[in-house]
Amino acid sequence: MTAFRETAFRETAFRELSVENRIKTLQNEGAIDESDATFLLKQLAESSDATIPADVANCMIEHQIGKYTLPVGVVRGLIINGETRNVLVATEEPSVIAAACNGARIAAMSIEGCIVANSPQYVTTAQIAFENTDGNVAAQLREIVEDSGKVEELLHVANESHPSMMKRGGGARKCRAVALNGFAKLEIDVDTCDAMGANTVNTMGEAVKAQLESWLGVEALAAILTNTSRVATTAEVHIPAAALASTRLENLDEREIEGKRLASRIAALSALAASDTARAATHNKGILNGIAGAALASGNDTRALEAAAHAWAARSGRYLPLSTWKTEVLNEQTILHGRIEIPLQIGIVGGSISSLPMAQLAIKIGKYKNANDFRNTLAALGLVQNLAALRALASSGIQAGHMKLHASNLAIAAGAKGDEIAKIAHNLLQLTTAERTTEKVAQLLKQLRESDKN
Ligand code: MEV
């Protein structure tokens, strides 16, 4: 008991310390050494408007001691519904942006000349859950949603708890009662306009919870949004098989033959993902590579987005791929038809977006007119990312492309700086994969530095 109180006391004190003193405390406790502290303090001193301003960072999260930076790149040439977009992606994975650009290049050769994407009207849903062992609560909730006066009152309670959403043209729209095994819940759909709306919807959910508790005389278990969505964004593309062939093949017949072979293998990989959960998970991970990176760069909640995507993938009771690829013959031409369906709970305003300068830039450079415009872009990005991955798997495998970028990372990890990075990466690529050990990279760097001295 005493130990628990002491820990709680120390954590409260840590929260109240300045960032500098939090770093010093960690150093005094031996959790970090002097060089770690110097690194964190240097980062603190280098506060600039180009990253997150120090006071904003300190207020955004609890116990803040530093800032985590990742490279941000731009996916170029992605044409969606006739408009070319620049999409900012933050990622630690070397090949994500290169693959997306490659997929976008191929999609631009589609019959449509672009990816055709569409988003329905999205809502964010709050759930007020009750225990329902005897079935009574479920029956009472059903009566409530069948009584238009009561529904009106619940929507009013929700909207009054967050009036600014109504002013923006959104607000609570609809209620549903759902009976579950041993539980019952009331769901309330909220139009959150161009915001993801998690905070708004949770505030509304808690207000409705209090109202329901007073009507039912029963304490609810919880009020919280669901990260699932009842609707999804779609994107599709029809690609002539020859567009899949390597640009190194100059002969058109050879391109056609190679393109057909790749189209058929991509379709087979899609069918494999539909019949094997183990493959479907990796197929979907590839789709999310770019989408999660674009969501991160734009200040969106990547975990919410990924949870919704996986829940959608499993909605039939079996985990399935989010996209499908099939070959079709159109005017005697082999076409690869790709289609993705993915729920995208994102926003272009609200949340952390206004606090993060890079997030604002991501929204600006993408020229997203509204949240659905951004959703269409994300779904298209997921589709081309998936196309590039499957095309690589169907041909020479992904390692050839990955290794080029990975070689630079190995060089950086060994301490290479400036021009050294490209030189070491080049030397590493002359070796077999097995020869590219940490020791070998260190040795190459040492040799390079010695030869530069002479
Ligand atoms: C790697 O980040 C993504 C892939 O594994 C996706 C896939 O296998 O489809 C290449």
Side-chain angles (χ1 to χ4, degrees):
M1 197 61 192
T2 317
F4 169 77
R5 258 196 243 115
E6 273 173 8
T7 310
F9 171 72
R10 224 184 302 132
E11 290 312 313
T12 310
F14 193 80
R15 183 174 61 221
E16 281 154 15
L17 294 178
S18 65
V19 177
E20 204 172 23
N21 284 335
R22 284 181 204 144
I23 296 168
K24 281 189 188 140
T25 303
L26 289 174
Q27 192 182 354
N28 292 341
E29 287 173 358
I32 57 176
D33 63 23
E34 198 178 335
S35 66
D36 303 324
T38 308
F39 157 72
L40 290 169
L41 290 169
K42 195 168 154 218
Q43 213 191 36
L44 186 65
E46 275 169 4
S47 183
S48 104
D49 288 348
T51 63
I52 316 172
D55 52 343
V56 176
N58 192 18
C59 295
M60 268 182 90
I61 60 161
E62 194 94 320
H63 291 189
Q64 191 252 343
I65 58 163
K67 298 175 206 171
Y68 192 94
T69 41
L70 278 176
V72 172
V74 54
V75 173
R76 311 228 338 124
L78 188 61
I79 317 176
I80 306 129
N81 299 338
E83 281 186 62
T84 307
R85 299 299 169 109
N86 286 310
V87 189
L88 287 203
V89 170
T91 182
E92 89 301 341
E93 190 173 329
S95 55
V96 166
I97 293 175
C101 292
N102 194 17
R105 176 189 62 80
I106 297 169
M109 293 187 265
S110 67
I111 292 179
E112 302 90 340
C114 65
I115 295 148
V116 178
N118 181 51
S119 292
Q121 159 84 52
Y122 273 76
V123 289
T124 305
T125 303
Q127 304 197 106
I128 300 97
F130 294 83
E131 286 173 294
N132 180 48
T133 37
D134 56 7
N136 265 344
V137 179
Q140 285 172 289
L141 290 180
R142 212 169 35 245
E143 275 169 30
I144 289 173
V145 298
E146 281 164 6
D147 177 338
S148 57
K150 286 237 160 80
V151 169
E152 206 53 25
E153 207 170 327
L154 283 184
L155 297 180
H156 179 73
V157 166
N159 286 324
E160 279 301 295
S161 72
H162 212 295
S164 64
M165 198 42 87
M166 290 258 279
K167 285 192 201 117
R168 278 190 260 152
R173 294 279 185 258
K174 213 184 195 173
C175 293
R176 271 181 308 278
V178 182
L180 301 161
N181 193 9
F183 301 91
K185 63 181 179 175
L186 185 124
E187 292 187 337
I188 180 153
D189 290 343
V190 184
D191 175 358
T192 56
C193 302
D194 284 334
M196 190 269 195
N199 276 329
T200 307
V201 172
N202 285 334
T203 302
M204 290 186 176
E206 290 186 5
V208 170
K209 170 177 172 271
Q211 180 64 67
L212 287 175
E213 286 176 338
S214 86
W215 283 344
L216 270 57
V218 178
E219 193 188 358
L221 195 55
I224 187 76
L225 90 170
T226 168
N227 286 117
T228 58
S229 168
R230 295 160 77 88
V231 297
T233 298
T234 58
E236 59 188 319
V237 71
H238 292 82
I239 302 169
L244 297 165
S246 162
T247 46
R248 281 191 291 270
L249 292 176
E250 280 171 16
N251 180 307
L252 289 187
D253 287 343
E254 275 177 9
R255 274 202 189 184
E256 188 65 33
I257 293 166
E258 176 62 359
K260 273 188 193 165
R261 190 182 82 88
L262 289 176
S264 139
R265 286 171 64 80
I266 290 171
L269 278 167
S270 171
L272 169 66
S275 66
D276 176 24
T277 301
R279 176 60 206 146
T282 311
H283 179 105
N284 289 344
K285 186 271 182 188
I287 288 174
L288 287 166
N289 266 344
I291 296 181
L296 184 63
S298 61
N300 275 284
D301 179 340
T302 55
R303 290 85 56 216
L305 187 146
E306 290 179 26
H310 294 303
W312 186 267
R315 75 193 186 289
S316 66
R318 209 158 66 78
Y319 187 87
L320 292 170
L322 293 160
S323 71
T324 50
W325 295 91
K326 289 184 180 141
T327 55
E328 294 167 3
V329 177
L330 209 71
N331 299 329
E332 295 176 25
Q333 210 187 9
T334 301
I335 305 290
L336 181 68
H337 174 208
R339 185 174 194 277
I340 187 170
E341 224 182 82
I342 182 167
L344 292 160
Q345 293 285 19
I346 50 81
I348 58 164
V349 293
S352 309
I353 298 170
S354 44
S355 323
L356 300 169
M358 188 58 88
Q360 288 170 38
L361 181 65
I363 306 288
K364 188 173 166 194
I365 201 172
K367 298 200 169 113
Y368 308 120
K369 294 185 264 296
N370 49 45
N372 271 1
D373 196 18
F374 188 29
R375 288 187 177 106
N376 290 345
T377 304
L378 291 177
L381 177 61
L383 191 65
V384 298
Q385 194 87 58
N386 182 224
L387 171 64
L390 298 189
R391 179 175 172 270
L393 291 174
S395 49
S396 56
I398 59 157
Q399 284 311 89
H402 266 203
M403 285 327 287
K404 274 192 206 142
L405 291 154
H406 184 57
S408 304
N409 277 351
L410 287 176
I412 294 166
K417 302 257 176 321
D419 291 353
E420 291 174 347
I421 300 171
K423 286 182 188 159
I424 297 291
H426 174 80
N427 290 344
L428 279 175
L429 289 169
Q430 315 309 311
L431 305 176
T432 63
T433 312
E435 286 168 337
R436 291 176 205 148
T437 59
T438 316
E439 294 75 35
K440 185 72 192 170
V441 189
Q443 186 196 342
L444 286 173
L445 184 60
K446 197 167 163 229
Q447 280 167 358
L448 179 72
R449 287 183 178 165
E450 274 164 11
S451 72
D452 280 354
K453 263 192 240 150
N454 302 328

